[in-house]
Amino acid sequence: MNADISVRDATAGELIGSLRRTLAETSAPMIALHEPEFKGREKEYVADCIETGWVSSLGDYIVRFERMVAEACGVKHAVATVNGTAALHIALLLAGVKQGDEVLAPALTFIATINAITYCGAIPHFVDSETTSLGIDAVKLGAYLDAIAEHRDGSVVNRKTGRRIAAFLPMHTFGHPVDLDAIIALAERWGIPLVEDAAESLGSRYKGRPVGGFGLVGAISFNGNKIVTTGGGGCVLTNDDTIARRAKHITTTAKHKHDWAFVHDEIGYNYRLPNLNAALGCAQMERLDSFLDRKRALAKRYEAAFHNSNGFIFMREPDYATSNYWLNAVLLAPELAASRDLILEMTNAAGFGVRPVWTLIPKLEMYADSPRMDLSCAEDIERRLINIPSSPALAGT
Ligand SMILES: *Cc1c(COP(=O)(O)O)cnc(C)c1O
C-alpha cells in the first residue's frame, strides 16, 4: 500500500476511534453534527398558541422570549426577528451601513454574515483569522488598516477604493469568542462602529461577560442547528434605547401604532418572529443552562480524547473565554490537510456526521471581486478544520 494512503487511513481510523470512545453511550446508527432537543415545555407552549389563536405576529411569547434572550446576553434590549440573517441585516443598517460602504468581516464565516452586508448595498472587505479563536485577527487587521485606511471628512476611507469603511463585523466562530478587547480598541481608535455576529454564541462569555452586547448592536440566530432554536429565528441585541426602538419599528413594516389605520412612515421589513416560534424559543431558553452544561461536558471529553493525538488538535476555548462549544472542532495536522476530504468521507461512512468548515467566502463567485487582506491563516484553517458531532444529548440527558 502507498505510504500516503496508509497514513490517511490510520488518521481516519484514529478519528473514528476517538469519536466511538467519546460517544460510546449513543447507539444511533448515524450521529448528527448537531440536533435540537425538545424535552422541556415546548409542546405545551406551542399548543397554547394554537389554542388561544395567537400564532402569528403578535403575542405574549414574543415579549417573554425577547426578555429571556436579553437577560441571557446581558443586554438591555433583544428584538426578535424571523431569522438570524434578518437580525444581522437590521443590525448593520442601524449601525449606519449604507450603499457603497465597506464592512470589515471575516473571510472564514457562514455566508449569512456576508450576505447581510450586501443587503445593505455595501461591500464586504475580507479579514484574516487567527488560530486561537478562529475569529478575525485584530493584530493583523490593525497593521492592515494603518496601511490602507485614512481619516477623511469625519469618516474612515479605504485609500485604495475610496469607499467609506462603515463597520467592523467580527463573528464568534462555533461559539468561541474573538478577542473583543483588541477589536474594541481598534474600533475606538478608528471611530468605526462594532457590530457583533453572535449568531453561534448564545451563552458564550468573554472575560466573564456574555457576548452579543459588546458592540453598538449585535445579532444572534435561533436556527434549528443552533444551541437554542425557535425553528427559525433571530434577535437584534443592543444596549441603546433608540436603536432598539428603531429595530422594532423597521422589522414590523414601520407601522404606526393605531387601532385600525394603516400608516407606515418608512420602507420597513416584515422581519418579525411569529409568536408560535417564540413559544418554542421560551421553552428552549428555559433549558439553556442544561444545554450549556452538557455541551461543556462533551467538549471536555473530546479534549481528553484528542489530548495525545498526532493527527488532530482539538479546538479548545481561548483562555480569556467561556465558550458555549456550539460546534466542536479539530484541526488536522498540516501534513494531512490534503487527505481531509477522504477522512471526512470515511468518518461519515462510519456513522459520524463530520463536516469541513465553510468554503472561504471570497472564493465564492459572488464575492470574488471584493477587497481583502492577506488571508493565509484563514486559508490554512479552511484546509484543516473538521467539525465533529456536538449535540447536547451526546453528553446525556
Ligand atoms: C446561523 C448563522 C447566521 C444566520 O442565522 P440564520 O438564523 O440561519 O439566518 C449568521 N451568521 C452565522 C455566523 C451563523 O452561523
Side-chain angles (χ1 to χ4, degrees):
M1 204 173 14
N2 176 312
D4 288 351
I5 294 178
S6 66
V7 169
R8 183 196 76 206
D9 289 358
T11 309
E14 188 201 331
L15 179 57
I16 292 164
S18 298
L19 293 173
R20 276 215 179 104
R21 279 192 302 282
T22 308
L23 309 175
E25 295 144 42
T26 315
S27 56
M30 182 75 202
I31 297 181
L33 186 66
H34 201 281
E35 273 179 335
E37 181 187 284
F38 305 110
K39 292 193 169 164
R41 304 177 71 178
E42 286 87 354
K43 275 189 185 163
E44 181 191 332
Y45 292 172
V46 170
D48 182 41
C49 294
I50 295 167
E51 278 153 22
T52 59
W54 291 96
V55 295
S56 191
S57 48
L58 292 173
D60 293 342
Y61 286 110
I62 298 170
V63 180
R64 200 159 126 199
F65 180 64
E66 289 178 334
R67 236 185 270 128
M68 293 176 95
V69 173
E71 194 184 327
C73 297
V75 293
K76 227 166 135 186
H77 309 281
V79 175
T81 57
V82 70
N83 57 51
T85 311
L88 264 178
H89 178 196
I90 296 303
L92 288 166
L93 283 179
L94 295 180
V97 174
K98 295 195 169 57
Q99 180 93 29
D101 287 342
E102 288 181 11
V103 174
L104 294 161
L108 185 77
T109 185
F110 179 55
I111 187 76
T113 313
I114 305 305
N115 282 344
I117 297 169
T118 310
Y119 301 159
C120 300
I123 291 137
H125 190 144
F126 294 109
V127 177
D128 203 11
S129 302
E130 42 82 11
T131 47
T132 306
S133 75
L134 304 172
I136 65 178
D137 183 335
V139 176
K140 196 165 169 180
L141 176 57
Y144 178 68
L145 282 176
D146 287 339
I148 66 133
E150 68 182 28
H151 288 280
R152 211 186 277 172
D153 307 327
S155 297
V156 179
V157 172
N158 177 346
R159 238 186 277 129
K160 290 186 183 162
T161 61
R163 289 189 288 248
R164 186 174 83 108
I165 298 174
F168 284 116
L169 181 57
M171 192 274 284
H172 307 295
T173 314
F174 309 137
H176 300 316
V178 290
D179 189 356
L180 280 161
D181 280 349
I183 292 167
I184 289 166
L186 260 188
E188 283 175 355
R189 191 169 113 222
W190 285 95
I192 298 172
L194 177 67
V195 179
E196 249 179 298
D197 182 348
E200 304 181 350
S201 50
L202 175 66
S204 295
R205 289 167 181 269
Y206 178 78
K207 298 186 179 172
R209 191 179 136 195
V211 301
F214 281 82
L216 178 62
V217 53
I220 201 160
S221 165
F222 299 99
N223 190 36
N225 62 347
K226 298 296 199 301
I227 183 164
V228 155
T229 187
T230 54
C235 271
V236 177
L237 308 173
T238 187
N239 287 307
D240 184 301
D241 298 343
T242 309
I243 288 180
R245 213 176 317 113
R246 295 270 307 130
K248 195 47 136 183
H249 191 60
I250 63 173
T251 54
T252 54
T253 67
K255 186 179 178 294
H256 270 287
K257 224 182 163 79
H258 194 285
D259 282 344
W260 42 265
F262 291 99
V263 180
H264 306 264
D265 59 10
E266 62 182 303
I267 298 174
Y269 300 85
N270 181 11
Y271 274 179
R272 60 190 131 204
L273 181 75
N275 199 46
L276 203 57
N277 299 78
L280 190 72
C282 287
Q284 287 267 290
M285 286 301 290
E286 290 173 356
R287 307 261 298 151
L288 175 61
D289 287 343
S290 163
F291 294 152
L292 288 169
D293 288 348
R294 283 180 288 146
K295 287 173 78 66
R296 243 189 130 61
L298 179 63
K300 289 275 169 244
R301 279 198 225 163
Y302 276 137
E303 193 175 351
F306 290 104
H307 184 63
N308 288 316
S309 169
N310 293 320
F312 303 94
I313 303 160
F314 177 72
M315 279 302 308
R316 66 180 303 279
E317 63 198 352
D319 289 339
Y320 54 67
T322 311
S323 177
N324 69 1
Y325 282 105
W326 171 52
L327 285 188
N328 287 288
V330 288
L331 274 180
L332 262 176
E335 65 277 13
L336 293 164
S339 305
R340 186 198 70 180
D341 288 357
L342 283 158
I343 291 169
L344 286 169
E345 211 164 293
M346 292 167 80
T347 312
N348 272 291
F352 297 99
V354 294
R355 298 277 181 278
V357 75
W358 311 285
T359 301
L360 288 197
I361 310 292
K363 284 194 183 169
L364 304 176
E365 200 183 317
M366 315 79 83
Y367 294 112
D369 297 329
S370 295
R372 72 205 58 179
M373 65 193 280
D374 169 76
L375 298 173
S376 45
C377 184
E379 284 161 1
D380 180 51
I381 295 169
E382 182 199 25
R383 281 190 292 267
R384 294 165 54 204
L385 192 135
I386 294 177
N387 285 121
I388 56 180
S390 300
S391 308
L394 296 174
T397 48

